[in-house]
Amino acid sequence: MTVSDAEYLKKILLAPVYDVAVKSDVDYLTRLSDELGNEIYLKREDQQPVKSFKLRGAYNRLSQLSDAEAACGVVAASAGNHAQGLAYSARRRNVPAVIVMPETTPDIKVDAVRKFGGEYATVVLHGTNFDAAKTHAAHLADTHGYAMIPPFDHPDVIAGQGTIGRELLEQLPELDTLFIAVGGGGLAAGIAVYLKQLKPQLKIVAVEAEDSACLQAALEAGKPVALDSVGIFADGVAVRIIGDETFRLCQQYVDEVMTVSTDEICAAIKDIFDDTRVIAEPAGALSVAAIRKYVQQHHLRGQKLGGILCGANINFHTLRYVSERCELGEQKEAVFAVRIPERKGAFREFCAELGGRGITEFNYRYADGDEAHIFVGLKLREGKAEFAALTERLHTQGYSLFDLSDNEMAKLHVRYMVGGRPHQLQHERIFSFEFPEYPGALMKFLQTLGERWNITLFHYRNHGAADGLVLAGFEIQPGSETDFIAHLQQLGYQYREQTDNPAYKFFLADMHGRS
């Protein structure tokens, strides 16, 4: 269904979304603005009752139904924010709603839909993915006469989301550039069709996750095309094909499209938290991720830039992943692999070559008598340029290394799998250590430890806590055990022997050596 641009203005101005939605605040991000040298503003759609902008479109579409259509009920397929928005809207309008969700949907999301919808929402679990759920929802609509409430590709839904543009023009009339996340395109289409007619000089940048860039693919093809696959991290924008009507509007009114990586999204979640103490969902942080990237690419200064925190429905356990990856997204950390000689003192010598930089991670396991392979995390003060200079220096010192900062498999899996069992290693003993965490603390720990005993295993990860935690293995020859323990006691660090720990025995101990 296509309507004129003038009709969209009318629909947006008359949309009754404020029966359920709030006029969300616009926050000035002080810390990020100071860092980037621009005025950064964030539209807080996490303030909606369902923590997402999706309420606007769902309620507006529901409100446009005739009495006869509403009496028959509605149906939708969604595993996320649209489901919650529709459930909430159905309860407020006293309209029965059937919401089809994949069987794999986490219980927390299913329970939220039931909570928001109460007696008016019936959840049907069907299939193992969104496409299967969508097909089943269409079948139910045909069979029972339900009105389908699509998540993005309908003029009423688009107009509902467009009310955000109406508010923004009142709240930030001097805005230079607006960054908008794109999944199916309803948010970008609704805001763009309104703002561009009233303030055509405002630049609109659509933002997609690198692994779910359906708008970019459509623009290249000249029409909506289905992606072979979509990423799962930013699930709120994980859409395989953009809508026909949303694509038409985005193609006409969006000035530029850019993509952001998973690491950049994680960095943006941290940026938003630092300024607002709100935890955005990955899709909700896309616009801020793009602002940071765009400013760096175009060397912008003194501009008024806006983004939309479009949702804050995040699984709490996702935060572990976000915390691990955010500094890579900010270019404040690099991870790399390096080979060093397998001899006493080589480990400390390599750390000394790092020039006092903060070490965030060391993963090492003895492999053979010639060389050691280490996974290293390093804090950066000046981003990629600093790491490039360090890499050149290490190469001149004879170290062989390669950058893993953009290697997804390495960051997601390999960093936790470095090592295994050595081929042959006698007389190994394992100890855990705690030491006060401060810049240079790990280097001081290694210097204090000394070079008398060969280190056979080493793991350290800086988590920003007050204490640094290290797990280390040592090759301790018979007859030197007493000297070694006496040495540890003199170091002044808290330590505990872990040689008999069943996890060490099962995964890491030499099956032919000491166990």
Side-chain angles (χ1 to χ4, degrees):
M1 181 187 299
T2 298
V3 301
S4 69
D5 295 349
E7 183 66 18
Y8 270 116
L9 284 180
K10 180 179 177 182
K11 280 180 167 290
I12 291 169
L13 290 170
L14 298 178
V17 299
Y18 302 106
D19 292 347
V20 293
V22 300
K23 182 178 180 180
S24 58
D25 294 337
V26 171
D27 286 357
Y28 178 67
L29 304 187
T30 303
R31 187 199 60 81
L32 188 62
S33 297
D34 290 344
E35 179 184 345
L36 298 182
N38 294 270
E39 294 181 25
I40 313 298
Y41 298 89
L42 189 63
K43 179 76 166 158
R44 293 281 306 281
E45 282 300 288
D46 62 289
Q47 295 176 340
Q48 300 302 339
V50 299
K51 308 300 181 187
S52 164
F53 76 97
K54 287 286 190 177
L55 176 62
R56 296 174 184 258
Y59 187 82
N60 191 49
R61 176 67 190 121
L62 210 60
S63 299
Q64 310 305 321
L65 297 177
S66 67
D67 291 342
E69 288 174 322
C72 290
V74 299
V75 65
S78 172
N81 292 336
H82 179 61
Q84 296 180 45
L86 179 58
Y88 188 94
S89 300
R91 187 174 187 173
R92 290 295 298 266
R93 297 286 299 185
N94 300 324
V95 175
V98 177
I99 299 170
V100 185
M101 309 180 79
E103 296 170 0
T104 54
T105 304
D107 290 342
I108 188 172
K109 293 186 176 182
V110 176
D111 293 342
V113 171
R114 289 173 173 152
K115 179 191 74 173
F116 285 128
E119 62 183 302
Y120 289 94
T122 300
V123 175
V124 174
L125 300 177
H126 182 88
T128 58
N129 54 54
F130 174 74
D131 289 339
K134 182 179 179 181
T135 299
H136 188 63
H139 170 72
L140 293 177
D142 292 339
T143 303
H144 301 286
Y146 300 145
M148 180 71 79
I149 308 295
F152 47 82
D153 201 25
H154 191 285
D156 292 336
V157 175
I158 294 169
Q161 322 303 23
T163 58
I164 296 174
R166 173 184 170 186
E167 294 172 17
L168 272 170
L169 197 57
E170 297 171 355
Q171 294 167 316
L172 289 171
E174 302 303 319
L175 194 66
D176 294 307
T177 306
L178 178 63
F179 296 79
I180 310 173
V182 171
L187 180 65
I191 294 175
V193 72
Y194 184 86
L195 290 179
K196 278 295 193 176
Q197 291 185 78
L198 299 179
K199 189 181 178 184
Q201 71 271 29
L202 173 65
K203 186 171 186 177
I204 294 181
V205 179
V207 188
E208 298 186 282
E210 283 181 350
D211 50 12
S212 302
C214 62
L215 173 56
Q216 190 174 76
L219 290 171
E220 292 171 357
K223 62 180 181 180
V225 292
L227 301 175
D228 293 333
S229 63
V230 294
I232 60 173
F233 178 62
D235 56 350
V237 292
V239 176
R240 291 187 63 202
I241 184 169
I242 196 169
D244 291 329
E245 178 65 354
T246 55
F247 173 65
R248 182 185 74 83
L249 293 171
C250 287
Q251 187 180 39
Q252 182 175 352
Y253 288 117
V254 168
D255 296 291
E256 189 174 337
V257 180
M258 62 184 297
T259 61
V260 291
S261 69
T262 295
D263 289 347
E264 288 164 341
I265 295 170
C266 291
I269 293 173
K270 179 178 179 292
D271 283 333
I272 292 170
F273 176 80
D274 285 344
D275 262 315
T276 67
R277 291 302 184 260
V278 171
I279 302 174
E281 65 183 81
L286 253 67
S287 62
V288 173
I291 288 172
R292 176 181 284 278
K293 188 173 185 176
Y294 195 85
V295 167
Q296 292 170 345
Q297 288 178 341
H298 296 272
H299 309 290
L300 293 185
R301 288 293 182 272
Q303 296 283 297
K304 289 182 171 63
L305 310 175
I308 300 169
L309 199 176
C310 52
N313 289 309
I314 186 171
N315 184 325
F316 182 80
H317 298 296
T318 303
L319 296 178
R320 289 179 295 191
Y321 179 87
V322 172
S323 177
E324 190 73 47
R325 302 288 289 267
C326 62
E327 290 202 326
L328 286 164
E330 294 176 306
Q331 296 184 17
K332 293 180 179 178
E333 183 184 25
V335 292
F336 59 99
V338 62
R339 295 185 180 94
I340 68 172
E342 183 57 77
R343 59 173 171 77
K344 295 177 183 179
F347 198 8
R348 184 186 60 80
E349 290 170 11
F350 171 72
C351 290
E353 289 291 345
L354 299 180
R357 292 175 176 85
I359 298 167
T360 60
E361 184 169 7
F362 257 104
N363 291 317
Y364 157 67
R365 182 62 166 126
Y366 177 96
D368 57 45
D370 296 324
E371 64 180 19
H373 297 178
I374 302 177
F375 185 102
V376 185
L378 199 65
K379 276 190 174 295
L380 301 175
R381 304 182 190 91
E382 302 172 11
K384 290 185 176 180
E386 178 186 355
F387 183 63
L390 175 64
T391 299
E392 184 177 352
R393 174 184 168 185
L394 291 174
H395 279 306
T396 62
Q397 296 299 318
Y399 291 101
S400 174
L401 71 154
F402 53 96
D403 187 9
L404 298 175
S405 302
D406 295 321
N407 187 313
E408 189 66 20
M409 189 181 77
K411 293 182 292 186
L412 195 60
H413 298 291
V414 173
R415 73 194 313 169
Y416 304 109
M417 301 170 68
V418 172
R421 303 180 192 277
H423 297 302
Q424 185 175 4
L425 182 63
Q426 303 288 332
H427 313 302
E428 180 179 60
R429 292 174 69 173
I430 304 296
F431 292 82
S432 59
F433 295 88
E434 297 180 21
F435 54 84
E437 185 64 273
Y438 56 87
L442 178 60
M443 185 63 191
K444 182 178 184 297
F445 171 78
L446 291 172
Q447 289 173 333
T448 307
L449 203 59
E451 300 180 5
R452 179 176 172 185
W453 288 276
N454 186 38
I455 295 176
T456 58
L457 176 150
F458 199 89
H459 179 264
Y460 162 78
R461 176 64 177 162
N462 182 318
H463 288 287
D467 293 322
L469 304 177
V470 161
L471 184 70
F474 302 88
E475 190 173 18
I476 303 174
Q477 297 298 327
S480 64
E481 295 95 335
T482 302
D483 288 345
F484 180 79
I485 296 300
H487 181 66
L488 291 187
Q489 292 173 346
Q490 293 172 1
L491 296 181
Y493 296 121
Q494 294 188 44
Y495 72 91
R496 177 180 298 175
E497 184 164 7
Q498 304 285 359
T499 308
D500 291 329
N501 188 300
Y504 162 70
K505 287 185 173 183
F506 190 85
F507 289 106
L508 299 171
D510 174 17
M511 297 299 292
H512 305 290
R514 190 184 191 283
S515 61

